[in-house]
Amino acid sequence: MCGIVGAVAQRDVADILVEGLKRLEYRGYDSAGVAVINNNNELQATKRLGKVQELAQALEQQPVTGGTGIAHTRWATHGIPSEVNAHPHVSNNTIAVVHNGIIENHQSLRSQLQGLGYEFLSQTDTEVITHLVHHELKTSDTLLAAVQKTVKQLEGAYGTVVMDSRDQDNIIVARSGSPLVIGYGLGENFIASDIMALLPVTRKFSYLEEGDVAQISRFNVSIFDTHGEPVEREAKEANVSHDSGDKGEYRHYMLKETYEQPTAIRNSLEGRLVGGMLDINTFGEGADEIFKNVEHVQIIACGTSYHSGMVARYWLEELAGVSCNIEIASEFRYRKSFVPKNSLLVTISQSGETADTLAALRLAKEIGYQSSLVICNVPGSSLVRESDLAFMTRAGAEIGVASTKAFTTQLVGLLMMTLAIGQHHGMSDKKQAEITQSLMSLPAKLDEVLALASSIEDLAEDFADKHHALFLGRGDQYPIAMEGALKLKEISYIHAEAYAAGELKHGPLALIDAEMPVIVVAPKNDLIEKLKSNVEEVRARGGLMYVFADNDANFSSDDTMKVIDVPVCDDIIAPIVYTLPLQLLSYYVAIIKGTDVDQPRNLAKSVTVE
Ligand code: HGA
């Protein structure tokens, strides 16, 4: 959350900064700002409420010039979205700061600084950094030293970039809890919260580690660790395409990313199932040894990733015969939990920077988890660097805030992990072959599902005037019902709940009437007769149902039920197959409701704050 870009160059950087912000807008979009130092050593700061486009227009009308600058797109935590609260924040017309994270001791620092005569203009926690740097500079030789002293006083999380209008040659950056990546150019260097922002200007990147402070100038980058000792952070070439942030022919990123799922899954499978055999190196060095010793799996995730983890629990226990628990990261990290013997901690995160999940991984290491594995879409991210093993989902850049291809490729990774663990726990050759074949059949199957788009679009009309919806599923389709409900909430703002269908009679049946559409995920499987009884319970109470089912499940449309015919598929991959129609349903409902599909209100991607 919150996107940061900074540059020290020999050319004007405003356009680079704004382009970077556009590429980071998925991280926050309630306001945006830029500050650039001009040739007279003056700060030119422009901020706008709303999207980066508003800022870009303001800069077109009143351009800023200069080779050193910082920029920010905000997702508010402290203080309402407003121009005053937008970053960069400035102290005494000299020090400008952008920040991602939360300064937890901001109130006491604010009082302290007010006592020293500093006047606060915004309601943000960030502004304390600005004045603190200004204050520390009075007794420091360099901006670097002032920032080093400042960060020692900060509690909480930050990725921050600081510049001083009197010094056009340097910007200072610091990381603790929120990601920052340095981009290396020729006679120019950059900083950003994500490499996406800098792909138009460089391919060479190095990630800052926790506690690092760095001085970035045109020809040099010096990094210091938490003790102030100089350190090297390996620079690597990124092999992501420059255009991966492009919407192409699609109206929204979410639709593009929904349609990319067959390709994303093909990429995710490529080279990993060699001759029908899983290549264990897919998970990294030492995977075989780790999987051999696993007796229990603890999955930790948030949001959509939590739902993929829930599906994995069904797979791990049923297919691999290994016990598995799953917990939301923000709960796990703040309670004392029992660590079963020989437990593997599995985290799931699209960005690899999810603050709660990262904190949970660090805690797990402290409390005795033997090994860790992450399912992640971003190489080099914090979770990848800090885990023993990693499965890279290869979904490609996902820009739509509502996750689509990241989710289904996570499921692919989790199914491969099930296979890998199962191989060490007596999974039969037949079962292994079945899983492998199912996985291989997925891309073509998903192409068939996407062909349902126009009939799902027709269905969406029925939801336009609804305020609530109920999603039902059983077994490994229960988490898919949850994901369907989350998607609908996120982008259409319709209140949606998901229930394991067997729970209906324990409460939610009371809600059923003609105003509460009920969406049922119903592939033909061992639970179909049970699910059909639940469907009858809804019908008997005047409920209207939308049933996603294959032919073999034997549902037929009537006055109270519309059946959407989903292609028949293997049970194992059915959770992945049934995800797509629900994504499409949410998308088309959101279109009818006229919401901002890619950037729904109040949300942001890459949740780097608690
Ligand atoms: N706390 C700061 C930055 C918020 C943030 O990092 N969001 O992701 C603010 O509220 O401006």
Side-chain angles (χ1 to χ4, degrees):
M1 280 168 168
C2 282
I4 286 177
V5 197
V8 192
Q10 290 162 306
R11 51 176 164 160
D12 284 337
V13 291
D15 287 349
I16 297 172
L17 298 176
V18 171
E19 173 60 22
L21 289 188
K22 284 184 180 157
R23 293 170 154 262
L24 290 183
E25 200 162 28
Y26 64 90
R27 298 177 74 95
Y29 34 82
D30 58 46
S31 54
V34 58
V36 173
I37 306 174
N38 72 12
N39 281 339
N40 299 326
N41 286 89
E42 292 158 343
L43 270 186
Q44 306 157 276
T46 308
K47 306 200 255 182
R48 285 293 178 274
L49 181 62
K51 301 272 174 77
V52 175
Q53 192 48 33
E54 304 289 330
L55 177 71
Q57 272 164 9
L59 289 168
E60 254 168 49
Q61 278 160 15
Q62 213 161 9
V64 293
T65 54
T68 302
I70 57 179
H72 187 264
T73 179
R74 180 169 186 245
W75 184 84
T77 65
H78 291 57
I80 55 163
S82 68
E83 209 165 291
V84 172
N85 286 336
H87 305 209
H89 291 283
V90 175
S91 181
N92 289 273
N93 288 326
T94 50
I95 304 299
V97 170
V98 290
H99 162 230
N100 171 204
I102 291 176
I103 306 304
E104 287 171 357
N105 58 337
H106 71 102
Q107 258 158 349
S108 64
L109 288 172
R110 183 179 271 249
S111 317
Q112 212 174 298
L113 287 158
Q114 279 166 334
L116 291 167
Y118 285 97
E119 193 191 337
F120 280 77
L121 301 178
S122 79
Q123 303 154 328
T124 64
D125 50 337
T126 303
E127 201 179 346
V128 298
I129 307 178
T130 322
H131 298 310
L132 207 48
V133 171
H134 183 271
H135 174 65
E136 290 300 346
L137 202 50
K138 292 176 195 159
T139 53
S140 311
D141 293 336
T142 60
L143 184 61
L144 172 68
V147 172
Q148 281 171 321
K149 286 185 203 164
T150 297
V151 294
K152 287 210 161 42
Q153 299 167 64
L154 303 178
E155 286 165 22
Y158 52 84
T160 188
V161 187
V162 182
M163 64 179 194
D164 181 343
S165 64
R166 295 157 294 189
D167 176 6
Q168 290 184 35
D169 295 333
N170 300 296
I171 56 177
I172 309 297
V173 306
R175 176 202 163 136
S176 180
S178 303
L180 281 177
V181 59
I182 297 173
Y184 298 86
L186 289 174
E188 54 186 18
N189 289 311
F190 307 92
I191 188 79
S193 10
D194 178 332
I195 63 169
M196 284 289 289
L198 302 178
L199 288 175
V201 286
T202 182
R203 289 300 156 114
K204 199 173 166 194
F205 298 102
S206 68
Y207 286 90
L208 288 185
E209 301 278 345
E210 286 299 278
D212 284 355
V213 178
Q215 172 161 303
I216 300 181
S217 54
R218 287 175 187 79
F219 295 97
N220 191 36
V221 172
S222 316
I223 309 177
F224 304 89
D225 67 12
T226 199
H227 309 292
E229 296 298 324
V231 277
E232 297 289 326
R233 301 292 177 216
E234 194 190 351
K236 286 189 186 151
E237 294 281 330
N239 60 357
V240 193
S241 124
H242 175 147
D243 293 327
S244 45
D246 206 326
K247 223 175 339 193
E249 75 205 66
Y250 293 92
R251 187 167 161 195
H252 291 102
Y253 282 111
M254 182 181 173
L255 190 62
K256 173 178 179 253
E257 289 157 6
T258 299
Y259 274 86
E260 278 173 352
Q261 288 174 109
T263 308
I265 288 179
R266 234 173 248 123
N267 292 340
S268 203
L269 293 172
E270 199 185 322
R272 288 169 162 170
L273 295 172
V274 190
M277 290 291 288
L278 174 66
D279 177 7
I280 203 78
N281 295 323
T282 290
F283 298 92
E285 234 172 88
D288 220 14
E289 203 48 39
I290 287 176
F291 290 145
K292 203 185 296 172
N293 295 321
V294 168
E295 286 175 38
H296 175 75
V297 176
Q298 172 69 55
I299 301 178
I300 300 290
C302 312
T304 286
S305 301
Y306 176 74
H307 297 150
S308 69
M310 280 185 73
V311 175
R313 183 161 73 105
Y314 287 91
W315 285 336
L316 277 165
E317 298 208 341
E318 184 179 330
L319 304 172
V322 170
S323 68
C324 174
N325 276 337
I326 165 143
E327 190 163 353
I328 292 165
S330 55
E331 287 298 314
F332 177 83
R333 66 178 290 196
Y334 289 119
R335 74 179 183 91
K336 286 207 166 62
S337 55
F338 175 76
V339 187
K341 201 163 118 251
N342 294 330
S343 289
L344 171 68
L345 186 95
V346 174
T347 56
I348 312 170
S349 161
Q350 189 283 133
S351 66
E353 302 292 348
T354 313
D356 284 321
T357 312
L358 190 54
L361 169 65
R362 290 175 183 160
L363 172 73
K365 287 183 185 176
E366 275 169 31
I367 62 177
Y369 275 87
Q370 202 169 60
S371 45
S372 58
L373 181 156
V374 64
I375 308 279
C376 185
N377 194 30
V378 181
S381 57
S382 301
L383 278 163
V384 172
R385 283 181 284 126
E386 295 186 30
S387 300
D388 300 320
L389 303 176
F391 178 93
M392 302 313 307
T393 52
R394 301 181 187 155
E398 190 180 71
I399 309 290
V401 165
S403 183
T404 50
K405 59 178 181 169
F407 176 69
T408 44
T409 53
Q410 281 171 357
L411 286 170
V412 166
L414 288 161
L415 189 48
M416 285 203 207
M417 181 188 81
T418 305
L419 187 57
I421 295 176
Q423 284 173 348
H424 291 292
H425 289 77
M427 186 188 278
S428 68
D429 290 348
K430 185 162 165 274
K431 187 53 84 190
Q432 289 181 40
E434 215 180 293
I435 297 175
T436 310
Q437 276 154 20
S438 290
L439 276 167
M440 299 300 276
S441 72
L442 249 178
K445 193 54 74 181
L446 296 188
D447 278 328
E448 286 178 50
V449 180
L450 288 169
L452 298 173
S454 64
S455 52
I456 294 175
E457 189 173 1
D458 294 343
L459 211 68
E461 294 284 346
D462 293 10
F463 290 77
D465 60 343
K466 298 289 184 285
H467 299 290
H468 308 277
L470 193 61
F471 285 70
L472 298 179
R474 270 182 176 264
D476 58 14
Q477 293 293 342
Y478 167 45
I480 299 310
M482 292 176 77
E483 176 60 10
L486 179 65
K487 223 77 314 179
L488 193 69
K489 276 188 270 222
E490 282 178 312
I491 61 168
S492 77
Y493 314 151
I494 292 176
H495 168 232
E497 294 281 343
Y499 269 89
E503 276 288 292
L504 263 185
K505 53 192 171 296
H506 297 289
L509 262 185
L511 298 171
I512 300 299
D513 63 17
E515 289 310 304
M516 170 76 102
V518 179
I519 296 107
V520 190
V521 201
K524 164 91 168 66
N525 59 23
D526 293 349
L527 295 170
I528 193 69
E529 294 311 324
K530 301 284 171 205
L531 186 64
K532 282 187 170 175
S533 303
N534 304 135
V535 164
E536 289 313 316
E537 290 162 10
V538 174
R539 196 200 300 273
R541 284 148 185 96
L544 293 180
M545 282 169 290
Y546 299 84
V547 181
F548 291 84
D550 54 35
N551 238 329
D552 298 349
N554 238 337
F555 283 96
S556 40
S557 296
D558 57 29
D559 289 352
T560 58
M561 181 189 290
K562 285 189 183 170
V563 180
I564 303 89
D565 206 356
V566 180
V568 174
C569 65
D570 297 336
D571 278 0
I572 296 170
I573 53 164
I576 306 176
V577 171
Y578 277 73
T579 298
L580 271 64
L582 300 187
Q583 293 168 345
L584 287 167
L585 178 66
S586 301
Y587 176 76
Y588 288 117
V589 174
I591 293 292
I592 293 170
K593 305 270 288 184
T595 61
D596 190 342
V597 172
D598 286 330
Q599 296 177 342
R601 69 183 183 201
N602 303 340
L603 300 180
K605 220 174 171 69
S606 196
V607 186
T608 53
V609 293
E610 271 203 73

